[in-house]
Amino acid sequence: MDWYSTVFELIDMRSFSNLWFWIVLAVVWSSASHWVLGVPFDMVTRARRKGDKAAEDLTDLLRINTGRLLYISEEAGLWIIAAGAFFLTGFAVLGWVYGVEIAQALFLLGFPMSLVSLLSVRTAKALHEKDTDLNAVYKRLGRHRLIVQALGMVSIFVTAMWGMYVNLSIGVLGG
């Protein structure tokens, strides 16, 4: 028995039956819902409860992160969208036309995260242009986090259903 077959027996290299894929999926969505525009959400709740220095720290960090996000979107936004659309289209075609499982997994990770990115730019613009009142900032950040969590739940559900379908169809066809 050679080394490669031992490794491939030990670690299943298919995406949807691989534990590492599911760990990555959980970490990606956990991080996306915790870090709202680059600010940890516990900082938002602390600023809402305590005010003063915590609120000042939050507004400083939000000003820096929203400015950075808006600068990137204005300077390279079109190129980022074009590259993202290219890769997502490639993953979709490779995944569902040619049946490449890793491409399906990358699409199911990447497409919802691209929606989160667009939502983040939209929220950053709204915070930069409209929201100067701290209560409005808290409300907008909370709404942003809620939408990200909803996207995450739908994404995890769809990915789990598709993963089970793939695993069952491969199990039935393979066995």
Side-chain angles (χ1 to χ4, degrees), residues 48-68:
R48 183 182 291 177
R49 270 189 284 125
K50 295 188 177 182
D52 296 336
K53 179 74 172 128
E56 185 180 322
D57 290 346
L58 174 71
T59 55
D60 288 344
L61 195 53
L62 267 177
R63 181 183 47 78
I64 292 167
N65 287 339
T66 56
R68 182 176 167 270

Side-chain angles (χ1 to χ4, degrees), residues 12-47:
D12 188 2
M13 298 307 277
R14 292 187 0 245
S15 298
F16 297 113
S17 62
N18 192 334
L19 177 64
W20 291 108
F21 171 74
W22 297 105
I23 291 172
V24 166
L25 183 71
V27 167
V28 162
W29 282 110
S30 175
S31 298
S33 69
H34 178 69
W35 292 89
V36 179
L37 298 177
V39 176
F41 199 74
D42 61 296
M43 189 176 198
V44 177
T45 55
R46 189 177 337 114

Side-chain angles (χ1 to χ4, degrees), residues 77-87:
L78 185 61
W79 288 104
I80 292 170
I81 290 173
F86 173 79
F87 283 109

